[in-house]
Amino acid sequence: MSGHGERRRSQAERDAITVEIGYALFSAAFAAAVLFGAVAGPALLFELPSVAEKLSLRAGLVLAPVVFAVRVVSVLVRFRGGGQPSQPGRTSPDS
């Protein structure tokens, strides 16, 4: 599996990947929960007309997983593409 020019990752690289995955999942769950609360919250807290309540709950149930997935992908793609500065102690030019 590690034949085509792949190199073994150092422990620091593996740790950085683990932290980034954890951050992506946590921030995505938080964003999805906030969105669900904003969209479906009024239907849960207040007495709304039946149609508005159903629409609000369904919109929250549809949008929350979409936001979760988009957030996870965007964080992980940014991590993969960003990399580290070329020299220790220096910031990359686009930061």
Side-chain angles (χ1 to χ4, degrees):
M1 255 180 108
S2 61
H4 295 71
E6 294 179 20
R7 64 178 179 85
R8 290 185 56 103
R9 292 188 172 106
S10 70
Q11 184 63 41
E13 290 173 320
R14 290 192 308 264
D15 289 347
I17 291 168
T18 301
V19 168
E20 198 66 22
I21 290 170
Y23 169 73
L25 293 172
F26 181 79
S27 67
F30 181 77
V34 168
L35 179 97
F36 180 80
V39 173
L44 298 172
L45 294 175
F46 305 112
E47 191 172 321
L48 298 176
S50 178
V51 173
E53 185 175 335
K54 286 180 183 179
L55 182 63
S56 179
L57 287 173
R58 287 184 182 161
L61 289 172
V62 168
L63 292 175
V66 170
V67 166
F68 181 87
V70 168
R71 178 67 181 161
V72 168
V73 169
S74 69
V75 168
L76 295 179
V77 166
R78 185 179 57 209
F79 175 73
R80 180 178 169 213
Q84 296 292 323
S86 58
Q87 296 178 352
R90 306 230 177 172
T91 59
S92 57
D94 59 348
S95 63

Coordinates of all heavy atoms in Angstrom, one line a residue:
M1 N 0.8 -1.2 0.0 CA 0.0 0.0 0.0 C 0.8 1.3 0.0 O 0.4 2.3 -0.5 CB -0.9 0.0 1.2 CG -2.3 -0.3 0.8 SD -3.4 -0.3 2.3 CE -4.3 1.2 2.0
S2 N 2.0 1.2 0.6 CA 2.8 2.4 0.6 C 3.9 2.3 -0.4 O 5.1 2.7 -0.2 CB 3.4 2.5 2.0 OG 4.3 1.4 2.3
G3 N 3.6 1.9 -1.6 CA 4.6 1.7 -2.6 C 4.8 2.9 -3.6 O 5.9 3.1 -4.0
H4 N 3.8 3.6 -3.9 CA 3.9 4.6 -5.0 C 4.4 5.9 -4.5 O 3.7 7.0 -4.6 CB 2.5 4.8 -5.6 CG 2.0 3.5 -6.3 ND1 1.7 2.4 -5.7 CD2 1.9 3.3 -7.6 CE1 1.3 1.5 -6.5 NE2 1.5 2.0 -7.7
G5 N 5.6 6.0 -4.0 CA 6.2 7.2 -3.5 C 5.6 7.8 -2.3 O 6.0 8.9 -1.9
E6 N 4.8 7.1 -1.5 CA 4.3 7.6 -0.3 C 5.4 7.4 0.8 O 6.1 6.4 0.8 CB 3.1 6.8 0.1 CG 1.9 7.0 -0.8 CD 0.7 6.2 -0.3 OE1 0.6 5.8 0.8 OE2 -0.2 5.9 -1.2
R7 N 5.4 8.4 1.7 CA 6.4 8.2 2.8 C 5.6 8.1 4.1 O 4.4 8.4 4.1 CB 7.3 9.5 2.9 CG 6.5 10.8 3.2 CD 7.4 11.9 3.3 NE 6.7 13.1 3.6 CZ 6.3 13.6 4.8 NH1 6.6 12.8 5.8 NH2 5.7 14.7 4.9
R8 N 6.2 7.5 5.1 CA 5.6 7.3 6.4 C 5.4 8.7 7.0 O 6.4 9.5 7.0 CB 6.4 6.4 7.2 CG 6.3 5.0 6.7 CD 7.0 4.0 7.6 NE 6.5 4.1 9.0 CZ 5.6 3.2 9.5 NH1 5.3 2.1 8.8 NH2 5.2 3.3 10.7
R9 N 4.3 8.9 7.7 CA 4.1 10.2 8.4 C 4.7 10.1 9.7 O 4.7 9.0 10.4 CB 2.6 10.5 8.5 CG 1.9 10.8 7.2 CD 0.5 11.2 7.5 NE -0.1 11.7 6.2 CZ -1.0 11.0 5.5 NH1 -1.4 9.9 6.0 NH2 -1.5 11.6 4.4
S10 N 5.3 11.2 10.2 CA 5.8 11.3 11.5 C 4.7 11.3 12.5 O 3.5 11.5 12.2 CB 6.7 12.5 11.7 OG 5.9 13.7 11.7
Q11 N 5.1 11.1 13.8 CA 4.1 11.1 14.9 C 3.4 12.5 15.0 O 2.2 12.6 15.2 CB 4.7 10.7 16.2 CG 3.7 10.6 17.3 CD 2.7 9.6 17.1 OE1 3.0 8.5 16.7 NE2 1.4 9.8 17.4
A12 N 4.2 13.5 14.8 CA 3.7 14.9 14.8 C 2.6 15.1 13.7 O 1.6 15.8 13.9 CB 4.8 15.9 14.7
E13 N 2.9 14.6 12.5 CA 2.0 14.7 11.4 C 0.7 14.0 11.7 O -0.4 14.5 11.4 CB 2.6 14.3 10.1 CG 3.7 15.2 9.6 CD 4.4 14.6 8.4 OE1 4.7 13.4 8.4 OE2 4.7 15.4 7.4
R14 N 0.8 12.8 12.2 CA -0.4 12.0 12.6 C -1.2 12.7 13.7 O -2.4 12.7 13.6 CB 0.0 10.6 13.0 CG 0.5 9.7 11.8 CD 0.7 8.3 12.2 NE 1.4 8.0 13.4 CZ 2.7 7.7 13.4 NH1 3.4 7.6 12.3 NH2 3.3 7.4 14.6
D15 N -0.5 13.2 14.6 CA -1.2 14.0 15.7 C -1.9 15.2 15.2 O -3.1 15.5 15.5 CB -0.2 14.4 16.8 CG 0.3 13.3 17.6 OD1 -0.3 12.2 17.5 OD2 1.3 13.5 18.4
A16 N -1.3 15.9 14.2 CA -1.9 17.1 13.6 C -3.2 16.7 12.8 O -4.2 17.4 12.9 CB -0.9 17.8 12.7
I17 N -3.1 15.6 12.1 CA -4.2 15.1 11.4 C -5.4 14.7 12.3 O -6.5 15.1 12.1 CB -3.8 13.9 10.5 CG1 -2.9 14.4 9.4 CG2 -5.1 13.2 9.9 CD1 -2.3 13.3 8.6
T18 N -5.0 14.1 13.4 CA -6.0 13.7 14.4 C -6.7 14.9 15.0 O -7.9 14.9 15.2 CB -5.4 12.8 15.5 OG1 -4.8 11.6 14.9 CG2 -6.4 12.4 16.6
V19 N -5.9 15.9 15.4 CA -6.5 17.1 16.0 C -7.4 17.8 15.0 O -8.5 18.3 15.3 CB -5.4 18.0 16.5 CG1 -5.9 19.4 16.8 CG2 -4.7 17.4 17.7
E20 N -6.9 17.8 13.7 CA -7.7 18.5 12.7 C -9.0 17.8 12.4 O -10.1 18.5 12.2 CB -6.9 18.6 11.4 CG -7.4 19.7 10.5 CD -7.3 21.1 11.0 OE1 -6.5 21.4 11.9 OE2 -8.1 22.0 10.5
I21 N -9.0 16.5 12.4 CA -10.3 15.7 12.2 C -11.2 16.0 13.4 O -12.4 16.2 13.2 CB -10.0 14.2 12.1 CG1 -9.3 14.0 10.7 CG2 -11.2 13.4 12.2 CD1 -8.7 12.6 10.5
G22 N -10.7 16.0 14.6 CA -11.5 16.3 15.8 C -12.1 17.7 15.7 O -13.3 17.9 16.0
Y23 N -11.3 18.6 15.3 CA -11.8 20.0 15.2 C -12.9 20.1 14.1 O -13.9 20.7 14.3 CB -10.6 21.0 14.8 CG -11.1 22.3 14.4 CD1 -11.6 23.2 15.4 CD2 -11.1 22.7 13.1 CE1 -12.1 24.5 15.0 CE2 -11.5 24.0 12.7 CZ -12.0 24.8 13.7 OH -12.5 26.1 13.3
A24 N -12.6 19.4 13.0 CA -13.6 19.4 11.9 C -15.0 18.9 12.4 O -16.0 19.4 12.2 CB -13.1 18.7 10.7
L25 N -14.9 17.7 13.1 CA -16.1 17.1 13.6 C -16.8 17.9 14.7 O -18.0 18.1 14.6 CB -15.8 15.7 14.1 CG -15.4 14.7 13.1 CD1 -15.0 13.4 13.7 CD2 -16.5 14.4 12.0
F26 N -16.1 18.5 15.6 CA -16.6 19.3 16.7 C -17.3 20.6 16.1 O -18.4 20.9 16.5 CB -15.6 19.6 17.7 CG -16.1 20.4 18.9 CD1 -16.9 19.8 19.9 CD2 -16.0 21.8 18.9 CE1 -17.4 20.5 20.9 CE2 -16.5 22.5 20.0 CZ -17.2 21.9 21.0
S27 N -16.5 21.3 15.3 CA -17.0 22.5 14.8 C -18.2 22.3 13.9 O -19.2 23.1 13.8 CB -15.9 23.3 14.1 OG -15.5 22.7 12.9
A28 N -18.2 21.2 13.1 CA -19.3 20.9 12.2 C -20.6 20.5 13.1 O -21.7 21.0 12.7 CB -19.0 19.7 11.3
A29 N -20.4 19.8 14.1 CA -21.5 19.4 15.0 C -22.1 20.7 15.6 O -23.3 20.9 15.7 CB -21.1 18.4 16.1
F30 N -21.2 21.6 16.1 CA -21.7 22.9 16.7 C -22.4 23.7 15.7 O -23.5 24.2 16.0 CB -20.5 23.6 17.2 CG -20.9 24.9 17.9 CD1 -21.4 24.9 19.2 CD2 -20.7 26.1 17.2 CE1 -21.8 26.1 19.8 CE2 -21.1 27.3 17.8 CZ -21.6 27.3 19.1
A31 N -21.9 23.8 14.5 CA -22.6 24.6 13.4 C -23.9 24.0 13.0 O -24.9 24.8 12.9 CB -21.7 24.7 12.2
A32 N -24.0 22.7 12.9 CA -25.2 22.0 12.6 C -26.3 22.2 13.7 O -27.5 22.5 13.5 CB -25.0 20.6 12.3
A33 N -25.8 22.2 15.0 CA -26.7 22.3 16.1 C -27.3 23.8 16.2 O -28.5 24.0 16.4 CB -26.0 22.0 17.4
V34 N -26.4 24.7 15.9 CA -26.8 26.1 15.9 C -27.8 26.4 14.8 O -28.9 27.0 15.0 CB -25.6 27.1 15.8 CG1 -26.0 28.5 15.5 CG2 -24.8 27.0 17.1
L35 N -27.5 25.9 13.6 CA -28.4 26.0 12.5 C -29.8 25.4 12.8 O -30.8 26.0 12.5 CB -27.9 25.5 11.2 CG -28.8 25.6 10.0 CD1 -28.5 26.8 9.2 CD2 -28.8 24.4 9.2
F36 N -29.8 24.1 13.3 CA -31.0 23.5 13.6 C -31.8 24.3 14.6 O -33.0 24.4 14.5 CB -30.7 22.0 14.1 CG -32.0 21.3 14.5 CD1 -32.7 20.7 13.5 CD2 -32.4 21.2 15.8 CE1 -33.9 20.0 13.8 CE2 -33.6 20.6 16.1 CZ -34.4 20.0 15.1
G37 N -31.1 24.8 15.6 CA -31.8 25.6 16.7 C -32.4 26.8 16.1 O -33.5 27.2 16.5
A38 N -31.7 27.5 15.2 CA -32.2 28.7 14.6 C -33.4 28.4 13.6 O -34.4 29.2 13.6 CB -31.1 29.4 13.8
V39 N -33.4 27.3 12.9 CA -34.4 27.0 11.9 C -35.6 26.3 12.6 O -36.8 26.7 12.4 CB -33.9 26.2 10.8 CG1 -35.0 25.7 9.9 CG2 -32.8 26.9 10.0
A40 N -35.3 25.3 13.4 CA -36.4 24.5 14.0 C -36.8 24.9 15.4 O -37.8 24.5 15.9 CB -36.0 23.0 14.0
G41 N -35.9 25.7 16.0 CA -36.2 26.2 17.4 C -37.5 26.8 17.6 O -38.2 26.5 18.6
P42 N -37.9 27.8 16.8 CA -39.2 28.4 17.0 C -40.4 27.4 17.0 O -41.3 27.6 17.7 CB -39.3 29.4 15.8 CG -37.9 29.7 15.5 CD -37.1 28.5 15.7
A43 N -40.3 26.4 16.1 CA -41.3 25.4 16.1 C -41.4 24.6 17.3 O -42.4 24.1 17.7 CB -41.1 24.5 14.9
L44 N -40.2 24.4 18.0 CA -40.2 23.7 19.2 C -40.6 24.5 20.4 O -41.1 24.0 21.4 CB -38.8 23.1 19.4 CG -38.3 22.1 18.3 CD1 -36.9 21.7 18.5 CD2 -39.2 20.8 18.3
L45 N -40.3 25.8 20.4 CA -40.6 26.7 21.5 C -42.0 27.3 21.5 O -42.5 27.6 22.6 CB -39.5 27.7 21.6 CG -38.1 27.3 21.9 CD1 -37.1 28.4 21.8 CD2 -38.0 26.6 23.3
F46 N -42.4 27.6 20.3 CA -43.7 28.4 20.2 C -44.8 27.5 19.5 O -44.5 26.6 18.8 CB -43.5 29.7 19.5 CG -42.4 30.5 20.1 CD1 -41.2 30.7 19.4 CD2 -42.5 31.1 21.3 CE1 -40.2 31.5 19.9 CE2 -41.5 31.9 21.8 CZ -40.4 32.1 21.1
E47 N -46.0 27.9 19.8 CA -47.1 27.3 19.1 C -47.3 28.0 17.7 O -47.7 29.1 17.7 CB -48.3 27.4 19.9 CG -49.5 26.5 19.4 CD -50.6 26.5 20.4 OE1 -50.4 26.5 21.6 OE2 -51.7 26.5 19.9
L48 N -46.9 27.2 16.7 CA -47.0 27.8 15.3 C -48.1 27.0 14.6 O -48.5 25.9 15.0 CB -45.7 27.6 14.6 CG -44.4 28.3 15.1 CD1 -43.2 27.9 14.3 CD2 -44.6 29.8 15.1
P49 N -48.6 27.6 13.5 CA -49.5 26.8 12.6 C -48.9 25.5 12.2 O -47.7 25.4 12.1 CB -49.7 27.8 11.4 CG -49.4 29.1 11.9 CD -48.3 28.9 13.0
S50 N -49.7 24.5 12.0 CA -49.2 23.2 11.7 C -48.3 23.1 10.5 O -47.2 22.5 10.6 CB -50.4 22.3 11.5 OG -50.0 21.0 11.1
V51 N -48.6 23.8 9.5 CA -47.8 23.8 8.3 C -46.4 24.5 8.5 O -45.4 23.9 8.1 CB -48.5 24.5 7.1 CG1 -47.6 24.7 5.9 CG2 -49.8 23.8 6.7
A52 N -46.4 25.6 9.2 CA -45.2 26.3 9.5 C -44.3 25.4 10.4 O -43.1 25.4 10.3 CB -45.5 27.6 10.2
E53 N -44.9 24.7 11.4 CA -44.2 23.9 12.3 C -43.5 22.7 11.6 O -42.3 22.5 11.7 CB -45.1 23.4 13.4 CG -44.4 22.6 14.5 CD -45.3 22.2 15.6 OE1 -46.3 22.9 15.8 OE2 -45.0 21.2 16.2
K54 N -44.3 22.1 10.7 CA -43.7 20.9 10.0 C -42.6 21.4 9.0 O -41.6 20.7 8.9 CB -44.8 20.2 9.2 CG -45.7 19.4 10.0 CD -46.8 18.7 9.2 CE -47.8 17.9 10.1 NZ -48.8 17.3 9.3
L55 N -42.8 22.5 8.3 CA -41.9 23.0 7.4 C -40.6 23.4 8.1 O -39.5 23.1 7.7 CB -42.4 24.2 6.6 CG -41.5 24.9 5.6 CD1 -41.2 23.9 4.5 CD2 -42.2 26.1 5.0
S56 N -40.7 24.0 9.3 CA -39.5 24.5 10.0 C -38.7 23.3 10.5 O -37.5 23.2 10.4 CB -40.0 25.3 11.2 OG -38.9 25.7 12.0
L57 N -39.4 22.3 11.0 CA -38.7 21.1 11.5 C -38.0 20.3 10.4 O -36.9 19.9 10.5 CB -39.7 20.2 12.3 CG -40.1 20.6 13.6 CD1 -41.2 19.7 14.2 CD2 -39.0 20.7 14.6
R58 N -38.7 20.2 9.3 CA -38.1 19.4 8.2 C -37.0 20.2 7.6 O -36.0 19.6 7.2 CB -39.2 19.2 7.1 CG -40.2 18.1 7.5 CD -41.1 17.7 6.5 NE -42.1 16.7 7.0 CZ -43.2 16.4 6.5 NH1 -43.6 17.1 5.4 NH2 -44.0 15.5 7.0
A59 N -37.1 21.5 7.5 CA -36.0 22.3 7.0 C -34.7 22.2 7.9 O -33.6 22.0 7.4 CB -36.4 23.8 6.9
G60 N -35.0 22.2 9.2 CA -33.9 22.0 10.1 C -33.2 20.6 10.0 O -32.0 20.4 10.0
L61 N -34.1 19.6 9.8 CA -33.6 18.2 9.7 C -32.8 18.0 8.4 O -32.0 17.1 8.2 CB -34.7 17.2 9.8 CG -35.3 17.1 11.2 CD1 -36.6 16.2 11.2 CD2 -34.3 16.5 12.1
V62 N -33.2 18.8 7.3 CA -32.5 18.6 6.1 C -31.2 19.5 6.0 O -30.1 19.0 5.6 CB -33.4 19.1 4.9 CG1 -32.6 19.2 3.6 CG2 -34.5 18.0 4.7
L63 N -31.3 20.7 6.6 CA -30.1 21.6 6.5 C -29.0 21.3 7.4 O -27.8 21.5 7.1 CB -30.6 23.1 6.7 CG -31.5 23.7 5.6 CD1 -32.0 25.0 6.0 CD2 -30.7 23.7 4.3
A64 N -29.3 20.8 8.6 CA -28.3 20.5 9.6 C -27.3 19.5 9.1 O -26.1 19.7 9.2 CB -28.9 20.1 10.9
P65 N -27.7 18.3 8.6 CA -26.7 17.4 8.0 C -25.9 18.0 6.9 O -24.7 17.7 6.7 CB -27.5 16.2 7.6 CG -28.8 16.3 8.3 CD -29.0 17.8 8.5
V66 N -26.5 18.8 6.0 CA -25.8 19.4 4.9 C -24.7 20.3 5.4 O -23.6 20.3 5.0 CB -26.8 20.2 4.0 CG1 -26.0 21.0 3.0 CG2 -27.7 19.2 3.3
V67 N -25.1 21.2 6.4 CA -24.1 22.1 7.0 C -23.0 21.3 7.7 O -21.8 21.6 7.6 CB -24.7 23.0 8.0 CG1 -23.7 23.8 8.9 CG2 -25.6 24.0 7.3
F68 N -23.3 20.2 8.4 CA -22.3 19.4 9.0 C -21.3 18.8 7.9 O -20.1 19.0 8.1 CB -23.0 18.2 9.7 CG -22.0 17.3 10.4 CD1 -21.6 17.5 11.7 CD2 -21.5 16.1 9.7 CE1 -20.7 16.7 12.3 CE2 -20.6 15.3 10.4 CZ -20.2 15.6 11.7
A69 N -21.8 18.3 6.9 CA -20.9 17.7 5.8 C -20.1 18.8 5.2 O -18.9 18.6 5.0 CB -21.8 17.0 4.8
V70 N -20.7 19.9 4.8 CA -19.9 21.0 4.2 C -18.8 21.5 5.1 O -17.7 21.8 4.7 CB -20.9 22.1 3.8 CG1 -20.1 23.4 3.4 CG2 -21.8 21.7 2.6
R71 N -19.1 21.6 6.4 CA -18.1 22.1 7.3 C -17.0 21.1 7.5 O -15.8 21.5 7.5 CB -18.8 22.4 8.7 CG -17.8 22.9 9.8 CD -17.3 24.2 9.5 NE -16.3 24.6 10.5 CZ -15.4 25.5 10.4 NH1 -15.3 26.2 9.3 NH2 -14.6 25.8 11.4
V72 N -17.3 19.9 7.6 CA -16.2 18.9 7.7 C -15.3 18.9 6.5 O -14.1 18.9 6.6 CB -16.8 17.4 8.0 CG1 -15.7 16.4 7.8 CG2 -17.4 17.4 9.4
V73 N -15.9 18.9 5.3 CA -15.1 18.8 4.1 C -14.3 20.1 4.0 O -13.1 20.1 3.6 CB -16.1 18.6 2.9 CG1 -15.3 18.9 1.6 CG2 -16.7 17.3 2.9
S74 N -14.9 21.3 4.2 CA -14.1 22.5 4.1 C -13.0 22.6 5.0 O -11.9 23.1 4.6 CB -15.1 23.7 4.2 OG -15.5 23.8 5.6
V75 N -13.1 22.2 6.3 CA -12.0 22.2 7.2 C -10.9 21.3 6.8 O -9.7 21.6 6.8 CB -12.5 21.9 8.6 CG1 -11.3 21.6 9.6 CG2 -13.4 23.0 9.2
L76 N -11.3 20.0 6.4 CA -10.2 19.1 6.0 C -9.6 19.4 4.7 O -8.3 19.2 4.6 CB -10.9 17.7 6.0 CG -11.3 17.1 7.3 CD1 -11.9 15.8 7.2 CD2 -10.2 17.1 8.4
V77 N -10.3 20.0 3.8 CA -9.6 20.4 2.5 C -8.7 21.6 2.8 O -7.6 21.6 2.2 CB -10.7 20.8 1.4 CG1 -10.1 21.5 0.3 CG2 -11.4 19.5 1.0
R78 N -9.1 22.5 3.6 CA -8.2 23.6 3.9 C -7.0 23.1 4.6 O -5.9 23.6 4.4 CB -9.0 24.6 4.8 CG -8.2 25.9 5.1 CD -9.0 26.9 5.9 NE -9.4 26.2 7.1 CZ -10.4 26.5 7.8 NH1 -11.2 27.4 7.4 NH2 -10.7 25.9 9.0
F79 N -7.1 22.2 5.5 CA -6.0 21.6 6.2 C -5.0 20.9 5.2 O -3.8 21.1 5.3 CB -6.4 20.6 7.3 CG -5.3 19.9 8.0 CD1 -4.5 20.6 8.9 CD2 -5.0 18.6 7.7 CE1 -3.4 19.9 9.5 CE2 -4.0 17.9 8.3 CZ -3.2 18.6 9.2
R80 N -5.6 20.1 4.4 CA -4.7 19.4 3.4 C -4.0 20.3 2.4 O -2.9 20.1 2.1 CB -5.6 18.4 2.6 CG -4.9 17.6 1.6 CD -5.8 16.7 0.9 NE -5.1 16.1 -0.2 CZ -5.7 15.8 -1.4 NH1 -7.0 15.9 -1.5 NH2 -5.1 15.2 -2.3
G81 N -4.7 21.4 2.0 CA -4.1 22.3 1.0 C -3.2 23.3 1.6 O -2.3 23.8 1.0
G82 N -3.5 23.7 2.9 CA -2.7 24.7 3.5 C -1.3 24.3 3.9 O -0.3 25.0 3.6
G83 N -1.1 23.2 4.5 CA 0.2 22.8 4.9 C 0.8 23.6 5.9 O 0.2 24.4 6.6
Q84 N 2.1 23.5 6.1 CA 2.9 24.2 7.1 C 3.7 25.3 6.4 O 4.1 25.1 5.2 CB 3.7 23.3 7.9 CG 3.0 22.3 8.7 CD 2.2 22.9 9.8 OE1 2.7 23.9 10.4 NE2 1.0 22.5 10.1
P85 N 4.1 26.3 7.1 CA 5.1 27.3 6.5 C 6.4 26.6 6.1 O 6.7 25.6 6.7 CB 5.3 28.3 7.7 CG 4.2 28.1 8.6 CD 3.7 26.7 8.4
S86 N 7.0 27.1 5.1 CA 8.2 26.4 4.6 C 9.4 26.5 5.6 O 10.2 25.6 5.5 CB 8.6 27.1 3.3 OG 8.9 28.5 3.5
Q87 N 9.5 27.5 6.4 CA 10.5 27.5 7.4 C 9.9 27.7 8.8 O 9.0 28.5 9.0 CB 11.4 28.7 7.1 CG 12.1 28.6 5.8 CD 13.0 29.9 5.5 OE1 12.9 30.9 6.2 NE2 13.8 29.8 4.4
P88 N 10.5 27.0 9.7 CA 9.9 27.1 11.1 C 10.0 28.5 11.6 O 11.0 29.2 11.4 CB 10.9 26.1 11.9 CG 11.5 25.3 10.9 CD 11.6 26.0 9.7
G89 N 9.0 28.9 12.3 CA 9.0 30.2 12.9 C 8.5 31.3 11.9 O 8.4 32.5 12.3
R90 N 8.3 31.0 10.7 CA 7.8 32.0 9.7 C 6.4 31.7 9.3 O 6.0 30.5 9.2 CB 8.7 31.9 8.5 CG 10.2 32.1 8.8 CD 10.8 33.1 8.0 NE 12.1 33.3 8.3 CZ 13.0 34.0 7.7 NH1 12.6 34.6 6.6 NH2 14.2 34.1 8.1
T91 N 5.7 32.7 9.0 CA 4.3 32.5 8.5 C 4.4 32.3 7.0 O 5.3 32.8 6.3 CB 3.4 33.6 8.9 OG1 3.9 34.8 8.3 CG2 3.3 33.8 10.4
S92 N 3.4 31.6 6.5 CA 3.3 31.5 5.0 C 2.9 32.8 4.4 O 2.2 33.6 5.1 CB 2.3 30.4 4.7 OG 1.1 30.6 5.2
P93 N 3.2 33.1 3.2 CA 2.9 34.4 2.6 C 1.5 34.8 2.5 O 1.1 36.0 2.5 CB 3.5 34.2 1.1 CG 4.3 33.0 1.1 CD 3.9 32.2 2.3
D94 N 0.6 33.8 2.4 CA -0.8 34.1 2.3 C -1.5 34.3 3.6 O -2.7 34.4 3.7 CB -1.5 33.1 1.4 CG -1.4 31.7 2.0 OD1 -0.6 31.5 2.9 OD2 -2.2 30.8 1.5
S95 N -0.8 34.3 4.7 CA -1.5 34.4 6.0 C -1.6 35.8 6.5 O -1.0 36.7 6.1 CB -0.8 33.5 7.1 OG 0.5 33.9 7.3

